[in-house]
Amino acid sequence: MRKKITAIVAALSLLAAFAVPSIASAAPTTGAKTSVSGVIDNNGKPVKGAHVTVVCNNYSRSTKTNNAGQYSVTFAKGQCAVGDTVTVVASKGGKGGVSSGKVTADTMKLNVVIVNVALPELGLVTGAGAVLTAGAGFLVVRRKFATENV
């Protein structure tokens, strides 16, 4: 009985010795963060209330700009670190803009200029491309069936 208890205690001690360091390393470290901030403007004027989305390593943070057109978001160090690419997308009232850059320090400034993004011709080009692609696909399938049935 004593040997069984000793074996169980030894097994639990061994398990604890390996599990505790891995649990401790998985815990987030406080203070290890990357802050991304900047100003959103249109024709040199700050944009109040613009919707801003910041993306880094498939992690995203969204916010709105203040009265001075400023935004700020924070990522945990494991989510966005030095050397990673950050992309900022801003929009308001049919206008939008994008800016990106590499993280070089714990604090990064990335400004975005928004412009009118209404592109009615984009719908025309996309529609024409879809029609041409569908037509080409139809012709390929038709030709394949025509040669198989001969």
Side-chain angles (χ1 to χ4, degrees):
M1 181 74 167
R2 183 176 248 181
K3 286 184 180 182
K4 286 184 181 181
I5 293 174
T6 304
I8 291 172
V9 169
L12 289 174
S13 297
L14 187 60
L15 179 63
F18 287 111
V20 171
S22 64
I23 291 170
S25 66
T29 56
T30 57
K33 298 177 181 178
T34 300
S35 176
V36 180
S37 61
V39 176
I40 310 301
D41 73 76
N42 181 16
N43 292 327
K45 296 178 183 174
V47 179
K48 172 186 171 184
H51 179 75
V52 180
T53 301
V54 183
V55 180
C56 185
N57 290 329
N58 294 324
Y59 293 97
S60 67
R61 302 285 184 270
S62 294
T63 189
K64 291 205 177 225
T65 56
N66 63 13
N67 290 339
Q70 300 169 333
Y71 73 93
S72 180
V73 297
T74 303
F75 291 93
K77 191 63 115 188
Q79 296 174 340
C80 189
V82 172
D84 293 337
T85 300
V86 173
T87 302
V88 179
V89 180
S91 63
K92 182 174 182 184
K95 297 181 179 187
V98 178
S99 185
S100 63
K102 293 270 185 193
V103 177
T104 58
D106 290 343
T107 302
M108 177 180 184
K109 299 276 185 196
L110 200 54
N111 298 332
V112 179
V113 175
I114 63 173
V115 295
N116 190 356
V117 292
L119 299 173
E121 66 273 5
L122 180 62
L124 179 63
V125 171
T126 304
V131 168
L132 290 173
T133 303
F138 172 76
L139 292 175
V140 168
V141 170
R142 183 174 177 217
R143 184 173 183 186
K144 181 178 178 183
F145 284 123
T147 57
E148 287 177 356
N149 293 330
V150 174

